[in-house]
Amino acid sequence: NEIQDAKERAEQSRYFQLEYNPAASIIDMQRSLQKFKPEIFHFCGHGGGQAGLFLESEVSQQERISTQGLANLFRFFRKKYPGCLECVLLNACYTSVQAEEIAKYIPTVIGMPQTIYDRAAREFSISFYDQLFSGSSIEEAFELGRITMEAYGVPDDELPQLVQFSGNHN
């Protein structure tokens, strides 16, 4: 709701469309990527470091998507739809591992190196999208999100990390 509110307040809001897919499974993610071909993909949920990310399963339980499986999913859609997936934001605990792997295929990826508390994750997202919807670049929006988290006392080693493209798009 707060991100939608930020969009409605912003000068550049007509250039953005928000799609929300709660409790998404791997298949739901694939279908959303196919249907919307987003420039920014924002994941909120649970990260497990090397274990990957945890999504909802068909029976409302957690299912794990491996780091490599997630990177390959984004690689597939980026290759199929050039211009799609300019940024992947992993707003979940211990997602720096995934960010590093995904950045082999996606221009900009944001991951969290440690545990991120709900309030910090929310404040980062609000600051990030406030700036993005006002015409700032992804990098500028990321910087303000980090500054906001610093202002709330989040230690430097727990702040989000921005990882930029490090491979070829194959």
Side-chain angles (χ1 to χ4, degrees):
N1 289 335
E2 291 168 304
I3 294 171
Q4 182 64 41
D5 291 345
K7 180 184 178 292
E8 290 170 7
R9 285 191 309 271
E11 310 152 9
Q12 309 270 333
S13 66
R14 68 181 179 274
Y15 299 112
F16 293 90
Q17 176 181 341
L18 297 176
E19 296 297 332
Y20 177 67
N21 192 351
S25 68
I26 294 169
I27 296 298
D28 293 333
M29 283 178 59
Q30 291 174 2
R31 289 175 178 158
S32 289
L33 290 166
Q34 176 72 36
K35 182 177 181 180
F36 300 111
K37 300 162 191 69
E39 290 182 40
I40 299 172
F41 183 91
H42 184 135
F43 173 83
C44 296
H46 300 285
Q50 290 291 342
L53 297 181
F54 294 95
L55 308 173
E56 292 292 318
S57 71
E58 297 291 320
V59 291
S60 296
Q61 296 179 357
Q62 285 189 340
E63 66 182 3
R64 182 180 66 86
I65 183 170
S66 71
T67 297
Q68 192 58 54
L70 186 65
N72 285 335
L73 177 68
F74 290 129
R75 177 189 54 80
F76 176 86
F77 282 99
R78 173 81 179 167
K79 188 174 178 182
K80 184 169 174 76
Y81 303 108
C84 171
L85 294 170
E86 292 295 322
C87 176
V88 172
L89 196 168
L90 302 172
N91 206 351
C93 301
Y94 303 104
T95 53
S96 292
V97 173
Q98 288 80 26
E100 291 288 337
E101 193 62 32
I102 294 166
K104 293 177 181 175
Y105 313 108
I106 304 299
T108 303
V109 186
I110 299 168
M112 307 298 165
Q114 301 285 328
T115 298
I116 183 167
Y117 297 100
D118 289 345
R119 180 171 183 198
R122 187 175 60 252
E123 297 299 334
F124 174 82
S125 295
I126 292 167
S127 294
F128 178 83
Y129 287 107
D130 273 347
Q131 281 304 294
L132 203 59
F133 296 153
S134 294
S136 294
S137 69
I138 290 170
E139 292 81 5
E140 292 167 330
F142 169 79
E143 183 178 354
L144 187 64
R146 277 181 58 104
I147 289 168
T148 300
M149 288 179 72
E150 285 176 324
Y152 280 103
V154 175
D156 191 55
D157 64 337
E158 295 179 14
L159 293 172
Q161 298 174 335
L162 183 133
V163 184
Q164 300 211 285
F165 180 65
S166 64
N168 58 39
H169 287 295
N170 293 322

